[in-house]
Each structure stands twice: as structure tokens, then as C-alpha cells.
Amino acid sequence: MTAIPLVALVGNPNAGKSALFNALTGARQKVGNYPGVTVERHSGRLALDDGRPIELVDLPGTYSLDPSSPDEEVTRDVVLGRQAGERRPDALVVVADATNLDNHLRFVLQLKGLGLPAVLALNMVDMAKRDGLAIDPAALARELGMPVVETVAVRRRGLDDLRAALTDALTTRSGVATTVDPDIRQFQREARRIAAAAIVAQPRGRAVTRSLDSVVLHPLAGPVILFTLLFVMFQAVFSWSEAPIGWIEGAQGWLAERAIATLPDGFLRSLLVEGVINGVGSVVVFLPQIIILFLFILVLEASGYMVRAAMLMDRLMAGLGLSGRAFIPLLSSFACAIPGIMATRSISDPRERLTTILVAPLMTCSARLPVYAVIIGAFIPARDLAPGIGLQGVVLFALYLAGILSAMLASVLIRRTVTRGVGGGFLMELPRYQWPSPRDVLIGLWQRAYVFLRRAGTIIMGVTVALWLLASYPVAPAGVKQSEYSVAGRIASGLEAVLRPIGFNHEMSLAVIPAMAAREVAVSALQTVYAIDAEDEEQGATELGGRLAGRWSLATALAFLAWFVFAPQCLSTIAVIRRETNGWRWPLFAVAYLFALAYLAAGATYWTAVAAGLG
Amino acid sequence: MTIATHIPLPQPLASLRRRAPGTVAGVDWALLSDSEARRLREFGLDEGVEVELLHAGRFGSGPVAARIGRMTVTFRRHIARAIHVQPV
């Protein structure tokens, strides 16, 4: 057990807690999980003025110690010393928004009653001053009986003072436990009294936020702005990523050439070129799109717009049996269902939360893009339906739409059957608008990119290499196709019996097995299988799309697309559902209903296409 | 209860004019669920607190945005009907 003091950052949502955490610890953060729940544990180290190291942990924002969602429970349990796998903090840094002092003080008082040494970081004092709100920190400290430090986390101001106050607090270990009064209204009245004593000048109000809101929340302009933003976001995911994808493909080709030129022909070279470089490379090319999607999501969240979007979407979501809160997790699921499902922990109603978890995999995550992109590129002609509207783009849009519409339908059905019951309503704070700090956005992007690359380097590479081995051995005698003779080929032949009726051929049956690990592996699996059958690596490196176009019928290709709209093909997502729902019941339910949908949709697509003469 | 004629009657937040502040005269907690009531208290909703309807959503349905004290929050319309406001 380490003896390093543990300090927890606690505060209301929107108090600027995470910005303060980033400012204090920089990029040296560890993102982990609390055992038993998927609430992320963000921690980092910093040195105090006397050189002593401390561990700082950033707790989820909450309004009181009376939690109404799983992430708020973690905050309560940590500060009470009841969270499994976490020591009780030695001190607290309580973060309060200076512009919302009277309200945030209530939670400060409740935390003070815990008796831990505590320092109040009075954050966003610059915003308060801009609003014309003047607070006397000395008066506030006197009334509260707690050191008060003024900070502006996004501009890294007040950090030295905060470290000094924290050093003092940890040295003297002051703090008196008082009985925790269950009635928050008494805390509220005390908070208002203290705020009145500390506030020297009253503001006129949040002028900027109010005038922005009158446009953003306008009954007509609001939805138009929201859908324009979403449209721009999806456009950007494709158009901005073209150049960086080209660079990654260039690097991948160069690496493969180098390997072919330097290594002698044989097992190692084949493994490296066909398994590692081409297999992992075909997945890493999607890093730019994932980063762009998360860039939008992080900026929309940090700016304060995301809650407005949730408000605008609430009426529609209510019609599906959900609430506006489900909008944010579902939007994140377009990047990846895993952070999306994890984001559902802020939904307080258990039925709505479960429903959101179950439909999140229907949102077209970025891992499906490689599959869609390759098939569309190979089978859908690149012609314009109208000036500026390409047929390929329309097909891609239709696939996204199919995912959204089926998620809506599934949500209505699930809410009327397995999660039947009254919902939890919709109640959220609308934070003030602010410019996202580039530093905080970069840290968030780095964390997402790191998780993706780690996945590509471990799960995806492992699966690709394993598949390459299974598909390469035993070596087929002359005249027999390797992809059918090998171990993988024989397994696929068994599966093909089931998938043949919906138009899948042998190679596709082979590709859907490793795609269980991660959907995008379907592309590298097809690449590997066709490369193994090809005469040599040069030919094996031929563009996958061109090869597919010659071998698959259009009906087969469309069936494959329809399959990937629904198939729950990602073990990590299933694992996250299991962790979030504490058991196998719901992940198995999700797997069953999504596979059934995938099979039926692929079948219906294939049979329709064949009937239309496309077989 | 008798009310002098020159004092306007308290009315639900939902039917207040936008941007016309008032103080909370009373809250019909019975119309709200436990979790809604608790969160509203955490947002600082209490008798005597200044509130203001900011945005009323689309065509008289959907959630509203309101100011409670110094905080801006959004909630569904039935909550706005349960908060009775004394116009100032």
C-alpha cells in the first residue's frame, strides 16, 4: 500500500473540475475504472510545494451526497471511504463555480461536514468578474471556516496558491466532522446566507449565455442549428480525414515494401506483411475519422452546447420512451459504442439507462466505416444522382439512417416490453457557454486515440495474426484453394451452411468470425484471406475493393452491408454491456436480438436484390 | 385566504411570460417524483427564490428552460406547471 496522500477533487457538475484536474496534473494521467462499475477513474500525481508527491483523483461531478446515478454514487462512496478499491481521501479540493456560488456552496457545506481537511477552489473567477460579480474570498473563508483559493483553471491561474493551501491542509490535517443533516434545504439556506456575506457586488446576469440561448434554443432556429451541426460533423468525418488516411496508407505500403525487400521469402515475411502490416494497417487508417468525430463531441460538450442539444432532442426522445439525456450517449456511439454505453451512467432512470445501452450498438460506430467504405467503393458506382450528391454518399447515409431508425423502433419496443414502466423525466443544468480549452480537448483526444491504438495493437493485431495462422495452415496441396483447405476455412465451411441462404459466400463466412473481436477486422480478414490465396505478396497487396468487385454479386455485397448494420460484432461492446448491467442476462439479450435482426435484414436484402435481378 | 386585488395571483411557471422574473410562492411537490423533487432542491428551488422562464420549447410542448436563482436549468413542462410563481 502506498503512503502517498490521496486528494480528491469534488464539486458540482460544470464547476470546471476536470479543467482544474488537467491543469494540475497535465497529461500525466491514468484513466482506469472503479471495480464493479464502469465509472472511469481519472488520477494523476503532482508534487506539493514541500516536494511531497500526492495522488489526485478527479471524482464525477454531483450536486449532493444523495446520488441519483451510478457515477454520483462513486463520488459519495469515495468521500465516505466506502468505495471498493479506493482509499478514503486524505483531503478534498472542493471546486465551486464563482458565478454560481450560492448554489455550489450548499454542496461545499455538505462536504465540509465530512471532517476531511478541505480547500475550496473558487473557480471561474474571471467569468464572475466579467459578469460584474465581486466575491470577497477572505470573507468567504471566514464564514466557511475553510481556506479559499481563487482559480481560473482553463488559464492555469491560482494553481500555485492552491498547491500551497493544499500543503497546509495536509500538514495541519484540520477539519471537524459535523453530523450530516439530511435536509438539503437547510444547507441551501446556510449557503445563501454565506454567499450573501461574501458577495460584494451583484451581477446583471449571464448576458452572453442568455443572448446565445435565445438563438440556440429558439423553437425554429434551434433544431435547424442542431441538425446543421450534426450534418457538418458527419461531412467533416469523411472530408477532413481523406488526406491523413492517405498518409497512413502510404506509410503502410512503404513498410510492406521495405519488409518484402529486406526479409527473405518465408514464414516470417508472410506473417509480417500479410498478418501484421496489412492487417493492423487496414484498421489504423480509421484513426483520423475517429479523432475527428471525438473532436466534435468533445468541443460540443466543453462549450456547453451538448446539454442544449439534449434539451432540443428531449421531446423526440420522450416519444421513444427515453429522455434528452440519452441523446449524448447515443451520439457518442457514432464514434464507438463503448464510450457511449459508459456515458449512460449519467442517466438516472434504470429502465431508460438499460434501454439506451441495448440500442446503442445500433448506432453506426466508426468501426463499421471500414466495412461500409470498402463494400461501397467496390460495388456502388461513383456517379452523381444530382449535382453534388453522389450515389455512394447516399448509400452510406442510408446505412446510417437504417441504424438510427432501427434504434428508434427497438427503443419503442424494448420500453413497451422488457423495460416497461414510468420514465425518470428530464432535468438538467444548462451550463454557461465557454470556449473549450484547446489543452483539455487535446488531452481528451489523446486519451481516445490511445485507447483505439492500444486496441489495434493488441486485440486487433492478435486476432489478425491468429486468423492469418489459421488461414495459412495446413498448407493446401496444389490445385486446392488455401482459404478452403486451412483450419479457418473448414470452420467457415460449417458456418457457411447457415449463412449461405442469406447470400454469404465462403470468404464472408470466414470474415465474420474474427469480426466478432472488432468489426473492422472483417476488412483485414478479407484482405488476409484473399492475400493468402493470391500468388505472392505483390499481388496480395492489390486493392481489396477491386478484388471483391470481381467475385461478389451486388446482391451478396448488399446483404453483407445489411448484416453489419445490425450484427453485434464487437466483443468489447458485449463486455461493457455485461459490466454495466452486472450480469450476462442483458448482453445475451442484446446479442440475440441483434444477430436475429442482422440475419433477417441481410436475408431480406439478398432475396429482394436477387428477385430484382441483381444476383 | 384573502388576497388584495392589486397583488397579482401566483401562477404556474409554465404560463408565465418569458423573461418576466418572479419569486417562488409555492411548489406542488405532490405532482413531482421523488427524484425530480430532490434534484430541484439541489438546483436551489425553494420558496422565495427568484425564478424566470427563459425558453418555452416548441409549440407549447417539450421541455422549458428556466432560471432558478443564478442557475439555468431545463426540465419538462409538468414541472413548470408545479412551480407557482409570484410575479414581481
Side-chain angles (χ1 to χ4, degrees):
Chain A
M1 205 69 204
T2 165
I4 297 180
L6 180 69
V7 176
L9 268 175
V10 219
N12 282 39
N14 310 311
K17 218 164 36 59
S18 295
L20 191 60
F21 179 71
N22 284 341
L24 284 168
T25 62
R28 304 177 305 277
Q29 301 179 6
K30 259 174 52 191
V31 185
N33 275 301
Y34 288 103
V37 282
T38 39
V39 176
E40 280 182 348
R41 179 186 190 272
H42 289 256
S43 68
R45 293 214 175 165
L46 69 141
L48 292 180
D49 291 349
D50 54 9
R52 230 182 335 167
I54 59 162
E55 187 182 8
L56 192 67
V57 56
D58 184 19
L59 295 178
T62 176
Y63 293 99
S64 73
L65 293 177
D66 196 0
S68 60
S69 63
D71 52 347
E72 298 184 2
E73 258 170 53
V74 166
T75 301
R76 180 199 59 190
D77 291 346
V78 169
V79 297
L80 293 178
R82 298 201 308 224
Q83 175 67 43
E86 184 77 283
R87 293 175 283 153
R88 191 172 191 211
D90 298 285
L92 302 177
V93 173
V94 186
V95 190
D97 174 1
T99 64
N100 210 340
L101 187 64
D102 34 5
N103 214 317
H104 286 198
L105 271 182
R106 186 200 55 247
F107 189 34
V108 178
L109 287 169
Q110 205 179 6
L111 289 167
K112 184 191 158 210
L114 297 172
L116 291 168
V119 177
L120 176 65
L122 190 59
N123 199 24
M124 308 197 200
V125 282
D126 57 334
M127 296 273 200
K129 283 189 185 121
R130 200 184 66 188
D131 278 0
L133 179 73
I135 297 164
D136 179 357
L140 184 59
R142 201 168 50 235
E143 292 288 334
L144 267 176
M146 188 192 283
V148 174
V149 178
E150 290 185 291
T151 58
V152 183
V154 287
R155 305 204 194 296
R156 310 173 56 74
R157 266 167 44 196
L159 301 183
D160 291 339
D161 293 345
L162 185 60
R163 267 191 297 266
L166 196 55
T167 311
D168 275 356
L170 279 168
T171 311
T172 54
R173 304 225 168 225
S174 61
V176 185
T178 53
T179 45
V180 178
D181 195 313
D183 184 9
I184 58 171
R185 273 193 287 185
Q186 260 170 4
F187 280 122
Q188 183 66 62
R189 284 176 187 154
E190 173 71 355
R192 251 185 247 125
R193 187 190 66 75
I194 295 178
I199 292 175
V200 183
Q202 283 286 341
R204 288 184 307 279
R206 305 166 164 195
V208 178
T209 291
R210 284 177 74 122
S211 45
L212 266 175
D213 267 347
S214 59
V215 181
V216 166
L217 299 179
H218 187 272
L220 294 173
V224 173
I225 292 171
L226 174 61
F227 286 104
T228 308
L229 266 174
L230 293 181
F231 182 78
V232 169
M233 178 171 110
F234 284 111
Q235 281 292 310
V237 164
F238 291 99
S239 54
W240 298 1
S241 62
E242 269 173 35
I245 286 177
W247 305 332
I248 294 174
E249 281 171 345
Q252 181 197 336
W254 181 84
L255 270 177
E257 268 173 38
R258 289 291 93 205
I260 290 168
T262 45
L263 290 171
D265 195 5
F267 172 78
L268 190 66
R269 185 171 105 177
S270 299
L271 173 70
L272 201 64
V273 174
E274 291 162 12
V276 179
I277 297 176
N278 289 343
V280 175
S282 60
V283 174
V284 172
V285 287
F286 294 96
L287 183 63
Q289 294 182 330
I290 288 172
I291 287 183
I292 293 166
L293 197 55
F294 273 118
L295 173 71
F296 273 86
I297 288 175
L298 289 170
V299 167
L300 290 180
E301 272 188 345
S303 66
Y305 181 77
M306 207 59 122
V307 184
R308 271 86 182 174
M311 179 185 162
L312 291 169
M313 293 299 288
D314 180 64
R315 194 168 152 232
L316 175 68
M317 303 299 272
L320 307 174
L322 300 173
S323 82
R325 269 188 191 271
F327 176 69
I328 300 169
L330 291 177
L331 187 64
S332 305
S333 297
F334 279 111
C336 173
I338 294 164
I341 287 170
M342 285 168 58
T344 63
R345 64 191 182 219
S346 66
I347 300 176
S348 48
D349 183 70
R351 296 188 196 94
E352 290 185 5
R353 178 158 180 262
L354 179 59
T355 311
T356 311
I357 289 173
L358 292 175
V359 302
L362 286 169
M363 293 299 168
T364 303
C365 69
S366 47
R368 286 180 178 94
L369 264 180
V371 184
Y372 290 173
V374 163
I375 308 289
I376 289 177
F379 290 94
I380 308 297
R383 61 181 168 84
D384 281 356
L385 290 178
I389 301 175
L391 180 61
Q392 292 186 332
V394 169
V395 171
L396 187 70
F397 181 73
L399 291 170
Y400 270 86
L401 201 64
I404 296 169
L405 291 177
S406 52
M408 291 169 79
L409 190 66
S411 171
V412 171
L413 291 177
I414 290 173
R415 280 293 272 131
R416 289 191 180 173
T417 53
V418 288
T419 61
R420 191 174 40 225
V422 193
F426 178 69
L427 223 89
M428 286 179 96
E429 180 183 353
L430 292 172
R432 61 168 52 244
Y433 289 103
Q434 54 186 358
W435 285 111
S437 131
R439 189 185 145 87
D440 290 343
V441 171
L442 282 177
I443 289 176
L445 281 181
W446 161 243
Q447 286 170 350
R448 301 297 171 200
Y450 176 75
V451 167
F452 176 77
L453 288 176
R454 192 175 58 189
R455 206 159 100 93
T458 54
I459 301 176
I460 295 175
M461 179 151 116
V463 170
T464 308
V465 169
L467 176 76
W468 180 83
L469 286 171
L470 289 175
S472 300
Y473 296 95
V475 177
V480 179
K481 267 173 100 180
Q482 178 64 38
S483 65
E484 288 181 10
Y485 190 77
S486 61
V487 178
R490 292 173 208 192
I491 299 172
S493 300
L495 192 63
E496 198 188 344
V498 183
L499 297 178
R500 171 71 62 191
I502 59 167
F504 282 26
N505 59 29
H506 187 263
E507 289 79 13
M508 292 157 77
S509 308
L510 206 156
V512 291
I513 305 170
M516 281 301 295
R519 287 183 185 85
E520 55 269 49
V521 175
V523 171
S524 58
L526 288 171
Q527 176 85 332
T528 305
V529 171
Y530 283 117
I532 284 172
D533 277 342
E535 303 279 300
D536 55 63
E537 287 95 352
E538 263 90 352
Q539 202 187 322
T542 318
E543 198 212 348
L544 180 61
R547 193 179 282 130
L548 295 180
R551 298 188 190 211
W552 294 9
S553 72
L554 181 56
T556 290
L558 292 176
F560 200 58
L561 286 178
W563 171 271
F564 273 96
V565 171
F566 300 102
Q569 293 212 312
C570 162
L571 288 177
S572 327
T573 302
I574 297 165
V576 164
I577 296 179
R578 196 202 71 81
R579 216 166 41 170
E580 284 289 332
T581 58
N582 283 322
W584 280 108
R585 187 174 167 208
W586 295 112
L588 289 178
F589 175 83
V591 166
Y593 104 86
L594 291 171
F595 266 135
L597 273 179
Y599 194 86
L600 291 176
T605 307
Y606 180 70
W607 303 320
T608 311
V610 170
L614 303 172
Chain B
M1 190 164 63
T2 50
I3 296 166
T5 47
H6 60 278
I7 301 173
L9 283 166
Q11 44 177 311
L13 179 65
S15 51
L16 227 57
R17 254 188 327 117
R18 282 180 53 220
R19 308 236 156 164
T23 53
V24 175
V27 182
D28 206 342
W29 297 108
L31 292 178
L32 308 175
S33 73
D34 287 351
S35 64
E36 285 170 341
R38 191 179 61 217
R39 181 107 306 169
L40 282 171
R41 287 203 182 101
E42 287 172 356
F43 286 161
L45 186 74
D46 200 356
E47 278 159 34
V49 171
E50 192 175 87
V51 291
E52 178 183 357
L53 183 70
L54 295 175
H55 301 280
R58 273 167 282 177
F59 319 115
S61 65
V64 304
R67 179 171 64 80
I68 299 176
R70 224 185 295 282
M71 210 174 196
T72 309
V73 298
T74 172
F75 41 72
R76 287 193 181 151
R77 209 157 283 263
H78 71 274
I79 296 180
R81 281 194 285 265
I83 301 172
H84 297 278
V85 181
Q86 181 71 60
V88 287

